[in-house]
Amino acid sequence: MHELSLCMSAADIIREQAQEHGITRVTDVWLEIGALADVEESALRFAFDIACRDTVAQGCTLHIDIIPAQAGAGIAAGRCP
């Protein structure tokens, strides 16, 4: 379940940024996930709640934006996949 690993990393980033900026509570978090990332949204939400326990982001609202795949985007930009 790589969703938990993704969420643990996100929670670490949230904690670091909150500490750096003197934030004591995070109320909302936005994640952008690529459509081909093979991430199950319900598993991601479940894992995010676990990863944020006892942190400044505990109980925050998770907003997930799914970014659509674009066939040939790298080729059109002159990059080879």
Side-chain angles (χ1 to χ4, degrees):
M1 174 178 188
H2 70 284
E3 287 86 355
L4 183 56
S5 176
L6 292 170
C7 291
M8 295 300 287
S9 293
D12 287 342
I13 293 168
I14 294 165
R15 183 174 46 254
E16 290 168 6
Q17 289 297 308
Q19 189 173 31
E20 182 177 323
H21 298 284
I23 304 298
T24 58
R25 185 161 190 275
V26 174
T27 58
D28 294 89
V29 171
W30 283 261
L31 293 179
E32 292 182 346
I33 306 293
L36 301 178
D38 196 30
V39 171
E40 185 179 322
E41 186 174 338
S42 62
L44 187 70
R45 290 185 182 283
F46 178 77
F48 188 79
D49 285 341
I50 292 170
C52 289
R53 279 189 192 152
D54 300 322
T55 73
V56 295
Q58 181 171 340
C60 73
T61 301
L62 176 61
H63 306 271
I64 300 173
D65 292 326
I66 305 296
I67 306 302
Q70 295 180 342
I75 295 168
R79 296 186 309 265
C80 182

